[in-house]
Amino acid sequence: MVQVERSDSASPFWKAPQRDTPPLKKPARDSSLVVGAAYSHADILKFDSLWVFPQDISITPPSATSAIERVPTQSPTTRISKSPPFKQYMNFLSSTNDDWTADEAEDMYDYESDDGDDFGLPSLSNMKRRTRKKAEQSRAHLDDGLNGGGRERRYSNSEDIAIERPAASYPMPKKSEGKILRPQYKEILRDPANALHLINHPSIPANATPKEVDAINSRISRINKFKKLLQASTIPLPDLRSLAWSGVPEEVRAMTWQLLLSYLPTSSERRVATLERKRKEYLDGVRQAFGGGGQPAPGSSAPPRGTNRGLDEAIWHQISIDVPRTNPHIELYSYEATQRSLERILYVWAVRHPASGYVQGINDLVTPFWQVFLGTYITDPDIESGMDPGQLPKAVLDAVEADSFWCLTKLLDGIQDHYIVAQPGIQRQVSALRDLTARIDAGLAKHLEKEQVEFIQFSFRWMNCLLMREISVKNTIRMWDTYMAEEQGFSEFHLYVCAAFLVKWSDKLVKMDFQEIMMFLQSLPTGDWTEKDIELLLSEAYIWQSLFKGSSAHLKGQGGEGSRSASMNFTL
């Protein structure tokens, strides 16, 4: 096994963060309180077991083998004592932008029952209270002769933003042996097509059954079809889209995504120069965004106090909160190198797109790209565990980061109206989902209306996060194969996927009341979903798109159990 080490001091983007945070006082609260996980299918996280004292945090995370504890799911009576207040559709939308703001002023109120943000993530106030409680409990040990002093954490006006990074609130995984870096990584960095020559076809075991032999041969044939297209001097995108709709083999996924998003040119002669130029442009943007020498505030001739870097403190503040809460159940995203990379991607994107800026949920959308592109340089396709990116060469991390940034930009360019003021794109899709559900399954639509369940209450994050809070990252990656193969996959086809996703649970939902519906839709049983489940969902969505896209009057009034059963039988 080849272990590649790198020195953090060699990177121009960060220095070693300073971790000596003084403990803060806060009245103790019930340590048995359990708060919800960030992902509907993840284990419920118990913050008492998730605490890592700031002085123990290092670039390479220490051991936390028992950090995540599985606890029983609470019953409806213990989780919600009464029906949540009914929110009118337009009233909710009018305050949507305010819902994203995580203001430190919430410390003025004692929200002991506040356990998350609009997406079910642990709230900033809750994280602060837990931090302060643990810090207060640790003071007793510090008073026994230990020096608990040190410099105070600086949250602004510093040369290195690492100093301003909040104390981690999630368990840091044990440093593992790492994965094997491809010896040819430099050639792959120069041109992703060089990775095509390194693909090893799966071998057929001696005791394989005829069915297994057919599956392996089918996979080899599919990989060869992709290789033939990708090695052409000019890649035909229509053919590549047609082939990618049914899924992309992980061996060729990175290059296929880059081509489908038009990040890489279809001409092999332009590919190397374009890639070099775009990566340099991103890294220059990082240096400009995080370098010294701030810009004056509007109407001022000098930079305001605390902004000598020109850092937008409001954007950075929200990103620094959300990144540590991104995929907390996956080891890869608990490493310092991963989190710092995501922070830079999100911040640079936000300052380059002032019309929307950073919005909570975009942090999820970057992770499939980051994970796919990182896997290009590693021999083991399973990089969610045992993969500390901080051990890789800086050139590899820079390339993964730059490619992720540009592909995220391409994706968001098609749905940016989801994130501008009032979020009109999400409003349209939520309204369309309500109408589409009424056509597909009238019984379900009437039941939701009877129980006063507004579609905005559960489908807002389906549109904002593209269902990433409902399914795993690996399944999201498979779903995005099809989205990228569609001309308007993220902006249009996603609507039909959400419709198929909702109708899938119809038989259960029509037997539930308001509380049960909301609890079920916030914690859907998708934790054991496989790629086959995603493919069935995509097939069903394709049926609905074929029936209803572009025809507002088609089958109007004929939706319901009849049309639903017919299409279901056709799909099977």
Side-chain angles (χ1 to χ4, degrees), residues 492-539:
E492 293 183 5
F493 185 67
H494 178 68
L495 167 65
Y496 299 94
V497 173
C498 289
F501 190 65
L502 177 61
V503 170
K504 179 179 180 64
W505 317 106
S506 178
D507 293 341
K508 294 182 179 180
L509 292 172
V510 294
K511 300 175 183 178
M512 298 179 180
D513 60 18
F514 177 90
Q515 292 186 30
E516 293 170 333
I517 291 172
M518 295 306 299
M519 291 175 63
F520 180 77
L521 291 177
Q522 292 295 320
S523 185
L524 289 164
T526 58
D528 58 349
W529 273 27
T530 65
E531 187 172 304
K532 292 296 182 182
D533 294 298
I534 297 299
E535 291 174 350
L536 287 173
L537 181 69
L538 293 170
S539 298

Side-chain angles (χ1 to χ4, degrees), residues 23-65:
L24 303 174
K25 291 185 177 181
K26 185 73 176 179
R29 58 182 288 190
D30 183 7
S31 62
S32 64
L33 181 63
V34 176
V35 298
Y39 286 72
S40 58
H41 61 272
D43 292 338
I44 294 178
L45 304 181
K46 192 169 183 179
F47 271 179
D48 282 336
S49 61
L50 294 184
W51 171 253
V52 179
F53 192 64
Q55 294 179 347
D56 294 334
I57 297 174
S58 59
I59 295 298
T60 302
S63 174
T65 56

Side-chain angles (χ1 to χ4, degrees), residues 225-455:
K225 289 180 180 178
F226 273 95
K227 286 179 63 177
K228 183 178 180 180
L229 282 176
L230 297 176
Q231 289 174 336
S233 57
T234 301
I235 300 172
L237 283 184
D239 294 344
L240 186 60
R241 287 195 182 97
S242 177
L243 192 59
W245 207 99
S246 301
V248 181
E250 58 193 14
E251 294 90 343
V252 296
R253 180 172 276 133
M255 185 175 176
T256 301
W257 279 19
Q258 291 170 326
L259 286 162
L260 293 177
L261 288 170
S262 300
Y263 170 51
L264 287 182
T266 57
S267 172
S268 60
E269 296 180 355
R270 298 172 47 216
R271 187 163 53 227
V272 174
T274 299
L275 201 58
E276 182 180 357
R277 175 174 55 83
K278 298 299 287 184
R279 287 172 176 172
K280 183 179 183 300
E281 182 180 342
Y282 169 73
L283 295 177
D284 289 343
V286 170
R287 294 186 182 95
Q288 181 179 3
F290 293 100
Q295 299 296 322
S300 173
S301 59
R305 181 181 179 183
T307 57
N308 68 330
R309 291 184 318 272
L311 190 68
D312 189 313
E313 301 292 343
I315 294 177
W316 171 251
H317 176 70
Q318 187 62 54
I319 291 174
S320 66
I321 293 169
D322 290 345
V323 166
R325 304 191 302 191
T326 303
N327 296 336
H329 57 292
I330 299 178
E331 178 183 328
L332 176 65
Y333 296 95
S334 294
Y335 286 102
E336 181 79 7
T338 306
Q339 294 190 7
R340 299 305 303 276
S341 179
L342 297 183
E343 287 170 350
R344 290 190 294 272
I345 292 170
L346 295 171
Y347 182 80
V348 174
W349 186 88
V351 297
R352 288 172 64 106
H353 296 81
S356 59
Y358 173 74
V359 174
Q360 203 173 29
I362 298 179
N363 56 307
D364 290 299
L365 303 185
V366 71
T367 57
F369 294 120
W370 207 89
Q371 196 163 313
V372 166
F373 296 145
L374 180 65
T376 304
Y377 305 96
I378 308 300
T379 57
D380 188 346
D382 182 15
I383 63 172
E384 289 191 349
S385 61
M387 178 69 252
D388 181 359
Q391 300 172 352
L392 296 173
K394 178 181 176 298
V396 171
L397 290 180
D398 287 349
V400 170
E401 189 173 314
D403 294 347
S404 299
F405 169 82
W406 288 116
C407 287
L408 174 70
T409 299
K410 291 287 187 178
L411 186 158
L412 293 177
D413 283 348
I415 56 172
Q416 192 168 352
D417 60 350
H418 283 39
Y419 306 106
I420 61 177
V421 176
Q423 297 165 286
I426 292 180
Q427 295 184 35
R428 287 195 302 270
Q429 285 203 322
V430 170
S431 177
L433 178 62
R434 183 185 60 232
D435 296 341
L436 187 58
T437 303
R439 292 185 177 189
I440 296 173
D441 192 338
L444 174 61
K446 291 178 180 178
H447 181 72
L448 295 177
E449 181 179 3
K450 174 187 175 183
E451 294 298 325
Q452 297 187 331
V453 176
E454 289 280 358
F455 275 71

